[in-house]
Amino acid sequence: NFSGSVDICAGLDFGIIHEERGECMWNNLRSGVSGASSAIMASTVNTGNKLFSSFTLQSSQPLQLTAVESDKFVGQNFTLDLTKGEVSYFTKLVMNYSDSDSAHTDEELWSKGQSLAETASQLTDTQIIADQTAYWKGIWETSDIRIEGDPENQQGIRFCIFQLYQTYHGDHPGFNIGAKGLTGEVYRGLAFWDTESYCLPFYMFNNPKAARSLLEFRYKTLPQAMQRAKEVDCEGACYPIATIDGTESCDLWQHSNLQLHVGTAVSYGIWHYVKNTGDKSFLHSKGAEMLIQISRFYATRGQWGQRSGEYGYFGVMGPDEFQLMVNNNCYINLMAQQSFEYTLETLREMKEQAPAAFAAVVEKTELHDEELTDWENKAQHMRIPVDEVTGVYEEHDGFFDMPHIDIHSIPVTEFPLYSNWSYDRLYRYDMIKQPDVLMFMFLYSGQFSKEAKLANYEYYEPRCIHESSLSPSIHSILASEIGKPEEAYSFFEFATRLDLDNYNRNTREGLHTTSIAAAWMNIVYGFGGMRSDGARLSFQPTLPERWDEYSFQVLYEGVLLRIVVDKNSVTITAVNGGSTEIIVYGQSITVDASGKTLPLGEGMLAG
């Protein structure tokens, strides 16, 4: 409905102000304009990562271009002449080339970037779209979750899967996943223990290369973790609670010094990855070295109780951040115990089956037999506080005796409590922020009976205010397992659409990337009943009452398994050929391309 001219400026801007920090985080290195192409190169202020960025303009009509350059901006001014009823267009083709490892000098990076930009400028829209379409077609063929009868959560989980692939694909080993992925500035790109606990399973069963790449980050930053251990008067490796480059980036002492569970998450991630991918080469070349240094840290950070004579950790904070400076947090103690045991098991196996690799890691780490004996002794005498009558694990020494508060009596206007209550007020009740005991019951599911999970769920769930987006999915998974389907579904509804519907009123700050991964776990581990901590991958599927059917896929031992659940049956098929042995409803079955169908719920036993 318009004829006339439109003035346009197309450019690249490195002068954006970081909202949280209130300053620009880029230093301009170089910029230039040549014909229809513009380029700029900058480095990050703190880490010195370099980025070359360029764009080329194409249009349906000849353009008279005028270069625009300032300190951190490069672009082109031009005019499009528009005629009512006719289509006019311009295409801005952008190419980014990063050099996060500083492999190039500035001159080399500029030259390499210009060369890549020239190649990219030859691409056509049709070719780019075809490549992108083929890429995503492959993703959906192997990673889609299909839900019949629930269009909102169908959209929600596909949004989650899309974002996980957008965030990380493992092509560059040694990168991690920030809590907001690449979508926002909050948390400043920092990665937490969420990576190994929540994100790793998605990649492990969809893109094992990416899963290994996540663990490569921890190996790459092992020297920084060892330096951090020295700073806190310990030996070995103390992995940071928040990091972007391996150094501790959290400036709150109660988190950076007391939250000891990151190393156990790394140890668990190695164990979980190797168990389900069989990647012994990673374990022998890098994993074992990390395990040794992690065990050294837990062997020097803990102490022996005067009265109990048991080993444990004093003055700590577990995953539940509402309990500060406590003694013998059950999660930390149990996970450290598992880390000791896995390290010892790995070294015994390497000594027998990979003697050269064993000798190499012993020499590199200067490992002594006395250390192995010490770790075994501490694992055997680890304090695991539990009420022998009720079977409820005590979150930490003295938790059962803390003042009780009915969380439902707290006015909704006071949430989030972090923003409205003083810290000391948060820390003096038996109220918890997120799963702590329930978390280790999920991670090592096979070690706990359904009765134990039920008892602990019924004790801790009423005390949890879920002031973490990671909390609902774990509760949903356990609720599904212990026979509370309505609670399971209620918790599930929070995860898939957390950001789409802006439940926490903070989507503008960036997506909850690790919660998005938890939404995937919620379906696969929750309703699908998958467990990956046993000798074989196992499933115990249920069907939510509101769904007619659902399906999901996991890659296991190189075999892509498709699990379809409807109101009557469960069908499991190896869709990429081959066969593998799995456990369904407690029965060991071999699945191949012909598939296996079982009645829904077959063999399920109460309790």
Side-chain angles (χ1 to χ4, degrees), residues 384-450:
I384 307 295
V386 61
D387 186 318
E388 299 294 345
V389 176
T390 64
V392 175
Y393 288 84
E394 189 171 22
E395 185 175 301
H396 59 77
D397 286 347
F399 183 87
F400 289 158
D401 195 37
M402 294 185 73
H404 178 65
I405 184 171
D406 179 1
I407 62 174
H408 301 292
S409 68
I410 303 172
V412 68
T413 54
E414 295 185 17
F415 290 92
L417 298 187
Y418 262 136
S419 302
N420 295 285
W421 283 24
S422 65
Y423 268 20
D424 67 291
R425 185 181 178 192
L426 282 175
Y427 296 151
R428 60 180 185 246
Y429 296 103
D430 67 345
M431 172 178 61
I432 64 177
K433 176 188 174 186
Q434 64 193 84
D436 196 294
V437 168
L438 297 184
M439 188 68 196
F440 69 66
M441 287 191 146
F442 164 68
L443 296 176
Y444 288 104
S445 178
Q447 297 188 20
F448 304 96
S449 67
K450 285 188 178 179

Side-chain angles (χ1 to χ4, degrees), residues 77-305:
N77 285 335
F78 59 93
T79 299
L80 276 186
D81 295 320
L82 307 182
T83 302
K84 179 179 178 179
E86 295 183 6
V87 174
S88 298
Y89 70 86
F90 75 93
T91 299
K92 178 185 178 186
L93 179 63
V94 181
M95 196 285 298
N96 293 312
Y97 179 62
S98 64
D99 184 29
S100 58
D101 291 325
S102 300
H104 302 294
T105 64
D106 290 357
E107 185 61 38
E108 289 170 342
L109 180 59
W110 181 264
S111 177
K112 177 70 172 177
Q114 291 280 29
S115 176
L116 291 171
E118 174 62 27
T119 301
S121 68
Q122 307 304 313
L123 298 173
T124 65
D125 293 0
T126 302
Q127 182 181 350
I128 294 171
I129 292 171
D131 290 346
Q132 186 78 345
T133 300
Y135 174 82
W136 283 104
K137 183 175 184 290
I139 295 301
W140 294 118
E141 285 177 349
T142 58
S143 300
D144 190 22
I145 291 180
R146 182 178 55 83
I147 301 173
E148 299 291 342
D150 188 352
E152 288 193 345
N153 281 307
Q154 173 68 90
Q155 180 191 45
I157 193 58
R158 282 178 172 156
F159 174 79
C160 293
I161 294 168
F162 173 77
Q163 292 298 341
L164 287 166
Y165 272 101
Q166 286 283 86
T167 298
Y168 198 86
H169 40 66
D171 284 347
H172 300 281
F175 288 176
N176 208 321
I177 297 175
K180 296 295 184 183
L182 302 174
T183 67
E185 298 172 346
V186 172
Y187 294 123
R188 309 190 304 280
L190 300 175
F192 299 83
W193 69 292
D194 314 358
T195 296
E196 287 79 18
S197 302
Y198 288 86
C199 297
L200 190 67
F202 172 82
Y203 295 103
M204 200 163 65
F205 291 109
N206 289 277
N207 183 357
K209 177 185 70 174
R212 173 166 175 155
S213 181
L214 288 171
L215 294 173
E216 294 271 7
F217 171 83
R218 297 298 189 181
Y219 184 76
K220 179 181 177 181
T221 59
L222 180 59
Q224 292 94 314
M226 293 175 67
Q227 177 60 37
R228 178 60 180 163
K230 293 179 181 177
E231 293 171 0
V232 294
D233 302 326
C234 294
E235 299 174 10
C238 175
Y239 280 98
I241 191 67
T243 190
I244 198 169
D245 62 355
T247 60
E248 180 59 79
S249 299
C250 177
D251 52 10
L252 298 174
W253 72 270
Q254 66 268 36
H255 296 279
S256 61
N257 283 40
L258 305 187
Q259 289 199 279
L260 309 184
H261 54 277
V262 184
T264 67
V266 176
S267 174
Y268 178 86
I270 297 169
W271 172 79
H272 200 198
Y273 167 77
V274 173
K275 170 180 281 293
N276 288 283
T277 65
D279 189 356
K280 291 297 182 68
S281 65
F282 174 81
L283 178 63
H284 295 167
S285 63
K286 298 176 180 178
E289 184 180 346
M290 286 191 281
L291 292 172
I292 289 169
Q293 299 297 359
I294 289 170
S295 292
R296 279 179 172 158
F297 171 72
Y298 288 110
T300 54
R301 175 56 175 84
Q303 289 88 26
W304 295 90

Side-chain angles (χ1 to χ4, degrees), residues 453-511:
K453 292 171 186 173
L454 175 63
N456 283 269
Y457 179 94
E458 292 188 336
Y459 180 83
Y460 284 106
E461 192 283 322
R463 291 166 168 78
C464 184
I465 67 166
H466 305 287
E467 198 154 294
S468 165
S469 62
L470 298 174
S471 183
S473 291
I474 298 301
H475 283 79
S476 177
I477 292 168
L478 288 172
S480 184
E481 180 180 0
I482 61 179
K484 296 179 180 286
E486 288 302 315
E487 285 187 38
Y489 200 84
S490 177
F491 281 125
F492 161 74
E493 287 187 298
F494 176 84
T496 60
R497 301 190 63 87
L498 170 62
D499 291 308
L500 280 174
D501 294 335
N502 198 19
Y503 287 157
N504 285 0
R505 302 179 298 282
N506 61 359
T507 300
R508 60 174 295 278
E509 297 175 351
L511 303 182

